[in-house]
Amino acid sequence: MTGAASGHDGGVGDGDLAILLLDGGYERAHYALVLAASALALGRSVVLFAAGGGVHALARDWRGLRDSGRDADMAARGVATFATLRDAVVELECGLLACEAGLRVCDLAPDALLPSVRVAGVPTFLDAARGRQVITL
């Protein structure tokens, strides 16, 4: 696990982000990944906490997101696909957290998540978000 996911990376830098993904819709989840990948590419540390229906974004099969079929439209228009963005944030070592309660609400088991995702509660996210700019989608 990266320091960003644990919230103990030796200090949070100016511009580091904490993204709270509450919504289970494709558009917001896609944009959360756009923001995370862009910030990571600029050298900013990012932690992304998926809660509620947003936990589907961190599942191996992310098609549980509402309107997931829009991904084909994005690709046809030359916009990065969900899988491309998600692979990028994993490769760039984004701290990925899935809400334990959100998993229960969505009836997802922890083993349904990507291997790099840590199951955590709100206190863990709040600790990791300390000193970061917080964006909620």
Side-chain angles (χ1 to χ4, degrees), residues 26-106:
Y26 171 83
E27 187 170 6
R28 287 181 183 258
H30 185 271
Y31 206 71
L33 295 177
V34 168
L35 289 170
S38 298
L40 290 160
L42 292 171
R44 295 167 74 175
S45 170
V46 179
V47 61
L48 189 152
F49 182 66
V55 298
H56 287 288
L58 300 182
R60 290 178 187 176
D61 180 2
W62 54 269
R63 290 174 293 176
L65 289 170
R66 193 174 57 254
D67 299 325
S68 63
R70 291 197 58 211
D71 201 52
D73 295 335
M74 294 291 215
R77 290 181 171 86
V79 176
T81 65
F82 198 84
T84 298
L85 290 166
R86 203 167 70 163
D87 288 349
V89 300
V90 168
E91 184 175 320
L92 293 169
E93 298 183 1
C94 182
L96 299 173
L97 303 172
C99 179
E100 183 176 9
L103 290 174
R104 290 181 188 159
V105 167
C106 293

Side-chain angles (χ1 to χ4, degrees), residues 3 7-12:
H8 301 291
D9 59 1
V12 176

